């Protein structure tokens, strides 16, 4: 079934409304439903699947407005010549320095894309100095601590807290 | 070895045996995106520097122990149909096939490892395994990554992690994908809920075959979208311990429900598919995927006894357009492809 709004994508949201005994049905794709401000989280019978899937992730703040980069800026990176206007179109950056050069514009976008996260918690190249390595390790432990508190596993949380302090 | 040599047999990641898990999870894949410190990302990299970088990465890759015999394909100097063959086998991305300038792929002979040089990032490496085996994928890929790092300095930032051309890959640069066959969830009308649920927990769902993102023949690719702020192990564990087991359980339940409540409807679907595949003289790749998907379900559920799963899996791979053309040794138009496809399917399914 095609989406009634865009008539391009297939409809995945099926809304039945009963108003004064009058029944009406609307069939939309996910994008169009979002545009029309319809919440698509609530009406799913496969409750258990949903809950498991959702609880495995941190809860998202509901429908924030998407930070976007306007093509207005023609400020160019001195290293590669990339501008935010050009980035907004592709969206690929020109060099590693762009992340520093356009930090204030890119950071909200990065956080939005990565569910509010902005600090690396994973693998670290061996050549990285001990100071930076410890900082990333602390990030990782803090994240585990948050998770432990959320799961009400206070024993694990206490251990993690001690580990973080030992690194500071 | 040349890409054309691959056209007569299926990829190892699509030829796993039949068991409760691999009936549903066809394969697992982990990919890492890396860039080399001191070089611009590809949108701003001059042709000269792109060549220099290409040669450095190729040399580094060929000098380390990748666990398998490897070969290198110069994508820039490969024919269109061979590029398409590599895309159909998931050895390179569409972007890599259509890209410009010096670029290559280094791949293991058994196709379990591939490294694209100068794709969207300087280096994109991936490891495949048949069935659900993400831990093994990561163990191998992590080790390869360590070996390269001994020779090449990666672009890395202490806050943002591994730096990538697109901010959506920042941090770990890690993308986990599992390829799923979910025909029963589709038949019982639950597939759209699966897709919505996946989107809600920041997973992307794509089709496994063909152009575009539509899932054809009930095959889906599920992958993570968040790469920053989680460790590699956390991302992988979310898949192997939480999400995938649930999906397997629901698909299994849907299969049981079909068997107990509507066995006649199920058999009708499977046997009709088999009937068309065994007798058609013209068949498009879309139709073939749909019908083979039903037959695959039938074989996995024991409703079709005279065909083995390897034959079905093989047909998915070998009936794709570039595979057909390299097998025929010439460029074929759509009608000729549909004729050859139907002939191969008829021969294989009637012989059994």
């Amino acid at each position: 079934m095609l989406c009634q709004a865009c008539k391009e994508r297939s409809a995945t949201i099926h809304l039945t409304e009963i108003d004064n005994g009058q029944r009406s049905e609307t069939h939309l794709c996910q994008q169009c439903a979002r545009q029309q401000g319809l919440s698509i989280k609530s009406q799913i019978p496969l409750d258990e699947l949903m809950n498991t899937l959702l609880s495995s992730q941190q809860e998202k703040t509901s429908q924030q407005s998407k930070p976007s980069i306007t093509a207005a800026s023609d400020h160019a990176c001195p290293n590669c010549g990339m501008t935010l206007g050009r980035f907004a179109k592709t969206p690929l950056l020109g060099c590693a320095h762009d992340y520093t050069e356009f930090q204030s514009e890119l950071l909200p976008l990065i956080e939005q894309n990565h569910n509010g996260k902005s600090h690396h918690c994973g693998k670290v190249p061996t050549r990285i100095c001990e100071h930076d390595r410890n900082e990333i390790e602390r990030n990782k432990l803090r994240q585990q601590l948050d998770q432990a508190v959320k799961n009400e596993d206070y024993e694990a949380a206490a251990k993690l807290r001690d580990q973080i302090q030992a690194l500071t | 070895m040349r890409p054309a040599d691959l056209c007569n047999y299926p990829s190892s990641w699509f030829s796993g045996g039949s068991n409760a898990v691999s009936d549903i999870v066809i394969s697992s894949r982990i990919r890492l995106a890396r860039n080399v410190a001191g070089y611009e990302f590809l949108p701003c990299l001059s042709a000269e520097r792109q060549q220099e970088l290409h040669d450095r990465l190729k040399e580094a890759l060929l000098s380390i122990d990748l666990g398998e015999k490897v070969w290198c394909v110069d994508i820039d100097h490969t024919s269109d149909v061979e590029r398409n063959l590599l895309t159909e086998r998931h050895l390179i991305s569409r972007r890599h096939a259509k890209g410009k300038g010096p670029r290559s792929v280094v791949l293991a002979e058994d196709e379990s490892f591939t490294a694209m040089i100068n794709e969207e990032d300087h280096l994109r490496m991936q490891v495949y395994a048949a069935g659900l085996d993400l831990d093994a994928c990561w163990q191998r890929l992590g080790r390869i990554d360590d070996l390269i790092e001994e020779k090449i300095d990666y672009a890395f930032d202490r806050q943002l992690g591994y730096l990538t051309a697109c901010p959506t890959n920042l941090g770990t640069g890690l993308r986990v994908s599992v390829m799923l066959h979910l025909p029963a969830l589709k038949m019982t009308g639950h597939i759209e809920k699966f897709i919505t649920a996946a989107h809600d927990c920041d997973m992307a769902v794509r089709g496994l075959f063909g152009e575009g993102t539509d899932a054809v023949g009930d095959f889906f690719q599920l992958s993570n979208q968040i790469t920053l702020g989680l460790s590699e192990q956390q991302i992988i564990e979310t898949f192997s311990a939480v999400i995938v087991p649930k999906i397997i359980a629901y698909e299994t339940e849907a299969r049981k429900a079909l068997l107990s409540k509507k066995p006649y409807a199920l058999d009708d679907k499977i046997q009709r598919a088999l009937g068309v595949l065994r007798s058609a003289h013209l068949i498009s790749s879309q139709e073939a995927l749909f019908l083979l998907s039903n037959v695959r379900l039938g074989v996995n559920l024991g409703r079709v006894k005279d065909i083995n799963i390897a034959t079905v899996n093989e047909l998915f791979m070998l009936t794709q357009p570039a595979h057909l053309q390299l097998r025929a040794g010439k460029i074929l138009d759509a009608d000729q492809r549909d004729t050859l496809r139907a002939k191969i399917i008829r021969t294989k399914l009637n012989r059994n």
Side-chain angles (χ1 to χ4, degrees), chain B residues 177-233:
Chain B
S177 301
V178 285
M179 328 252 179
L180 304 162
H181 187 213
L182 306 174
L185 279 179
K186 184 75 169 283
M187 281 181 206
T188 52
H190 286 153
I191 202 72
E192 282 159 4
K193 289 152 199 162
F194 151 72
I195 293 171
T196 309
H199 287 167
D200 277 341
C201 59
D202 298 305
M203 298 280 162
V205 182
R206 293 190 196 85
L208 176 53
F209 293 104
E211 295 276 335
T213 55
D214 268 357
V216 180
D218 316 326
F219 290 96
F220 300 86
Q221 263 188 95
L222 185 72
S223 51
N224 64 305
Q225 289 194 291
I226 294 176
T227 55
L228 177 66
L230 296 169
S231 69
E232 289 83 358
Q233 285 78 8

Side-chain angles (χ1 to χ4, degrees), chain B residues 258-318:
Chain B
L258 283 173
L259 278 173
S260 66
K261 289 185 190 135
K262 290 189 174 177
Y264 48 90
L266 184 68
D267 285 336
D268 181 67
K269 227 175 178 138
I270 295 164
Q271 294 303 332
R272 276 170 187 268
L274 206 47
V276 172
L277 290 169
R278 277 183 164 147
S279 45
H281 280 248
L282 272 178
I283 194 161
S284 72
S285 62
Q286 291 248 333
E287 189 183 7
L289 283 172
F290 264 114
L291 299 174
L292 284 168
S293 168
N294 289 341
V295 172
R296 190 175 191 273
L297 177 67
V299 175
N300 284 339
L301 289 179
R303 310 302 278 191
V304 177
K305 299 224 189 311
D306 58 339
I307 296 174
N308 64 45
I309 195 71
T311 307
V312 183
N313 288 346
E314 189 182 355
L315 284 174
F316 280 109
M317 192 62 85
L318 305 191

Side-chain angles (χ1 to χ4, degrees), chain A residues 9-26:
Chain A
R9 293 174 286 263
S10 65
T12 55
I13 315 290
H14 309 282
L15 189 71
T16 310
E17 282 176 300
I18 299 173
D19 189 18
N20 280 334
Q22 282 287 350
R23 190 186 150 97
S24 70
E25 283 188 11
T26 319

Side-chain angles (χ1 to χ4, degrees), chain B residues 37 47 53 103 106 124 131 138 183 227 264 298:
Chain B
L53 176 70
R103 62 196 193 287
V106 172
R124 286 206 166 184
W138 173 237
T227 55
Y264 48 90

Side-chain angles (χ1 to χ4, degrees), chain B residues 8-254:
Chain B
N8 288 316
Y9 57 90
S11 300
S12 55
W13 61 264
F14 203 159
S15 14
S18 180
N19 66 50
V21 172
S22 67
D23 286 357
I24 296 168
V25 185
I26 294 167
S27 69
S28 313
R29 175 183 69 169
I30 296 187
R31 173 274 266 167
L32 281 179
R34 297 288 188 250
N35 288 278
V36 181
Y39 286 84
E40 294 79 23
F41 297 152
L42 282 150
C44 290
L45 193 63
S46 69
E48 234 166 74
R49 305 243 308 150
Q50 193 177 338
Q51 182 71 55
E52 181 190 313
L53 176 70
H54 170 271
D55 297 347
R56 270 189 68 186
L57 282 169
K58 181 175 162 185
E59 195 199 321
L61 279 161
L62 294 179
S63 70
I64 59 172
D65 177 18
L66 292 163
E68 280 288 327
K69 231 175 133 187
V70 295
W71 52 302
C72 181
V73 183
D74 177 350
I75 301 295
D76 202 27
H77 295 98
T78 300
S79 68
D80 281 346
V81 63
E82 286 188 311
R83 283 180 204 167
N84 290 342
L85 176 97
L86 294 172
T87 314
E88 286 172 2
R89 297 175 84 83
H90 291 222
L91 296 171
I92 63 171
S93 62
R94 242 168 242 137
R95 183 190 182 90
H96 206 45
K98 288 180 182 154
K100 282 197 183 82
R103 62 196 193 287
S104 289
V105 61
V106 172
L107 52 136
E109 269 189 4
D110 70 350
E111 301 174 57
S112 61
F113 167 81
T114 91
M116 289 182 278
I117 301 173
N118 288 341
E119 201 241 20
E120 183 181 298
D121 294 296
H122 296 156
L123 180 62
R124 286 206 166 184
M125 300 182 284
Q126 51 191 19
V127 166
Y128 275 107
L132 179 63
D133 202 354
L134 290 167
D135 290 330
C137 289
W138 173 237
Q139 241 185 353
R140 182 166 171 210
L141 188 54
R143 206 180 52 235
I144 292 171
D145 189 47
D146 291 341
L147 290 174
I148 302 228
E149 204 213 295
E150 286 172 13
K151 299 174 185 274
I152 302 264
D153 268 356
Y154 287 139
F156 185 86
D157 176 270
R158 68 175 178 185
Q159 186 194 328
L160 298 174
Y162 291 94
L163 298 176
T164 49
C166 183
T168 52
N169 296 310
L170 274 176
T172 55
L174 183 96
R175 188 86 67 215
V176 173
S177 301
V178 285
M179 328 252 179
L180 304 162
H181 187 213
L182 306 174
L185 279 179
K186 184 75 169 283
M187 281 181 206
T188 52
H190 286 153
I191 202 72
E192 282 159 4
K193 289 152 199 162
F194 151 72
I195 293 171
T196 309
H199 287 167
D200 277 341
C201 59
D202 298 305
M203 298 280 162
V205 182
R206 293 190 196 85
L208 176 53
F209 293 104
E211 295 276 335
T213 55
D214 268 357
V216 180
D218 316 326
F219 290 96
F220 300 86
Q221 263 188 95
L222 185 72
S223 51
N224 64 305
Q225 289 194 291
I226 294 176
T227 55
L228 177 66
L230 296 169
S231 69
E232 289 83 358
Q233 285 78 8
Q234 282 175 307
I235 297 173
I236 291 163
E237 228 180 83
T238 309
F239 272 84
S240 39
V242 185
I243 294 177
V244 177
K246 271 290 155 189
I247 295 171
I248 293 174
Y250 278 93
E251 170 69 18
T252 308
E253 208 149 290

